[in-house]
């Protein structure tokens, strides 16, 4: 069998890189012979380079696929103001040079079968075209959100509706792929911003040039949204391959993780509410205090990942508090010592897998949402940024798999959610009826079955690989 390779181009940031690598591993495990993967790592200075390097090094040591997947670092880029479009544009010559070297390295080099491009890297299709190979978009969010961004493109280009003018509006949009009307007030902030919307729109317009769209979802979770692409409700697009859930559920084995796990081992089953807001999630002191009051008044056991916000105006990830007491109500740690634990960084997947966890207060990043479904842990939605408001709407209203804390919350708004509202959400989450928990457990089982031989995602993965190999004919 002919040796072929795919080149993956993820967006900078550990979340996108991990999803990309997990997709690559899925393809390599599925297609045992003749396929290899090269991941091109674009780097932004001050944007988690150390985390990225550590992840790649640990992966090389731990995966059995290390001989079939390799990483090539592209030159680091210093960005004064963050514009993903101009960043990708500057990376194109670097990508072109690396691919030229790969393809000219002699007859023993596997033939290039195509590019797999992150959802924000669609303009890299230009580079794939230069080499005469097809591109596949890896959409790291939901099928419903994919339908939503296509719909925004249609209403802007054909109906003269500018989403950025809907910022303070109570209007509701009829979106193909959603059963319920979608309130403009829960639209992602980037879609409401002149600065962000137009470059993103240019990126989304390129999707129609791809050979396929790989989506991190499963048919059983989003059947309505996925079927809208084949029944004519959504504008014609390249074939969609829902091959998820694509997750990294491994353990890092750190001493911090061990300490957390030992604490959880001492808690009753399904008794602990876990609060964690993603790699960029953090709160100012006023909001942290309101969360603390809510937890104390709810009486529920808790594990809270509390992190210090970066300095104002700095694009840095949150840091650890040396002493969390400085932002918490006086005496809080003493009063809750028997029922609660506050940590900084948290091994989210390992915690969600623990039987003591009964609920998850989450920012609704799509990876986190899929992890919670995988482990059957119900969510209370508190979105922060990116497309998380949309994900919260989908989980709470469309799918009925989550409860709401505040669906239209935006990190940049600086609004403080009061403790009563947070406590209501926590109680609703932890005290929900058995029927709702049963529904969540069923979706957990379906998400696991989807990836097994004969499951929906397994079959779609097969279709994708057949399409990739057909490029070589």
């Amino acid at each position: 069998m002919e040796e072929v390779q795919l080149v993956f181009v993820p967006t900078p940031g550990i979340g996108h890189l991990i999803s990309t690598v997990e997709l690559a591993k899925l393809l390599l495990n599925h297609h045992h012979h003749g396929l290899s993967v090269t991941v091109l790592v674009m780097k932004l200075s001050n944007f988690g380079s150390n985390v990225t390097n550590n992840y790649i090094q640990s992966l090389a040591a731990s995966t059995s696929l290390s001989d079939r997947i390799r990483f090539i670092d592209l030159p680091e880029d210093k960005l004064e103001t963050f514009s993903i479009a101009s960043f990708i544009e500057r990376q194109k010559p670097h990508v072109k040079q690396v691919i030229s070297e790969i393809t000219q390295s002699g007859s023993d080099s596997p033939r290039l079968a195509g590019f797999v491009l992150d959802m924000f890297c669609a303009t890299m299709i230009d580079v794939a075209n230069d080499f005469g190979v097809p591109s596949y978009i890896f959409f790291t969010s939901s099928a419903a959100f994919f339908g939503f961004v296509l719909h925004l493109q249609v209403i802007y280009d054909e109906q003269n509706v500018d989403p950025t003018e809907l910022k303070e509006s109570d209007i509701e949009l009829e979106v193909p792929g959603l059963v319920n009307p979608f309130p403009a007030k829960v639209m992602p902030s980037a879609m409401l911003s002149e600065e962000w919307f137009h470059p993103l729109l240019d990126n989304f317009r390129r999707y129609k040039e791809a050979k396929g769209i790989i989506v991190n979802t499963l048919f059983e979770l989003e059947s309505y949204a996925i079927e809208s692409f084949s029944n004519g409700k959504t504008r014609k697009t390249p074939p969609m391959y829902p091959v998820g859930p694509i997750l990294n559920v491994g353990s890092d084995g750190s001493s911090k993780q061990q300490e957390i796990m030992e604490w959880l081992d001492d808690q009753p089953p399904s008794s602990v509410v876990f609060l964690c807001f993603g790699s960029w999630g953090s709160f100012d002191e006023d909001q942290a205090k309101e969360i603390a009051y809510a937890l104390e008044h709810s009486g529920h056991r808790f594990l809270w990942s509390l992190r210090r916000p970066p300095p104002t105006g700095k694009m840095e990830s949150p840091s650890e508090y040396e002493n969390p007491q400085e932002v918490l109500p006086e005496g809080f740690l003493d009063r809750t010592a028997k029922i609660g634990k506050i940590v900084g960084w948290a091994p989210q997947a390992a915690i969600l897998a623990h039987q003591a966890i009964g609920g998850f207060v989450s920012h609704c990043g799509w990876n986190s949402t899929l992890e919670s479904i995988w482990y059957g842990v119900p969510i209370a939605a508190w979105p922060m940024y990116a497309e998380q408001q949309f994900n919260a709407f989908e989980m709470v209203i469309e799918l009925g798999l989550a409860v709401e804390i505040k669906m239209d919350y935006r990190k940049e708004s600086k609004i403080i959610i009061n403790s009563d509202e947070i406590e209501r959400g926590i109680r609703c989450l932890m005290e929900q009826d058995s029927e709702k928990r049963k529904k969540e457990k069923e979706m957990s089982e379906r998400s696991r079955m989807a990836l097994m031989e004969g499951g929906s995602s397994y079959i779609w993965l097969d279709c994708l690989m057949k399409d990739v190999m057909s490029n070589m004919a």
Side-chain angles (χ1 to χ4, degrees), residues 139 144-154 191 201 204 207:
F139 199 80
F145 187 61
F146 178 65
F148 176 69
V149 301
L150 295 183
H151 182 64
L152 288 189
Q153 184 189 323
V154 168
M191 310 300 186
L201 195 62
F204 297 148
Y207 286 178

Side-chain angles (χ1 to χ4, degrees), residues 359-385:
F360 180 26
V361 178
S362 170
H363 63 306
C364 294
W366 190 241
N367 287 344
S368 296
T369 300
L370 291 177
E371 282 179 13
S372 74
I373 290 169
W374 181 264
Y375 291 115
V377 177
I379 280 182
W382 187 340
M384 302 267 148
Y385 45 84

